[in-house]
């Protein structure tokens, strides 16, 4: 598999450059999750970095990762046929009866 040295900005990984595997399109993943173990044996903390453009290279698009302290609020792809999380206006859905 091909990888690319990608810089990280913000958070604990600020200033570091890591080799990130590229997908079949030649782009790194849109989000990069780094699990950090808890020193007291609890569940690990997950640092989330989002991919943003760092400009056009000579022949290809260049990328970097920026720390997202809010975490994963999107929950995945936004398909057009998915229901929204809450019914607007507080009205019950017709399917609920």
């Amino acid at each position: 598999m091909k990888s690319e040295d990608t810089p990280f900005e913000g958070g604990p990984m600020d200033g570091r450059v890591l080799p990130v595997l590229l997908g079949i399109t030649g782009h790194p993943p849109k989000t990069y999750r780094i699990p950090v173990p808890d020193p007291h044996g609890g569940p690990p903390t997950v640092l989330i970095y989002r991919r943003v453009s760092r400009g056009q290279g000579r022949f290809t698009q260049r990328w970097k990762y920026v720390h997202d302290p809010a975490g994963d609020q999107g929950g995945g792809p936004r398909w057009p046929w998915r229901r929204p999380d809450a019914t607007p206006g507080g009205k019950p859905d017709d399917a609920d009866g």
Side-chain angles (χ1 to χ4, degrees), residues 23-78:
I24 59 173
T25 60
H27 298 285
K30 290 182 181 180
T31 58
Y32 195 83
R33 290 171 170 73
I34 303 172
V36 179
D38 185 56
H40 304 294
T45 303
V46 178
L47 302 174
I48 298 178
Y49 285 84
R50 302 259 183 233
R51 180 184 77 184
V52 296
S53 174
R54 66 175 171 148
Q56 186 72 23
R58 189 172 182 140
F59 297 109
T60 61
Q61 179 75 28
R62 308 300 267 164
W63 303 100
K64 65 181 176 181
Y65 284 104
V66 177
H67 185 248
D68 183 7
D72 192 20
Q73 293 183 359
R78 301 203 184 263

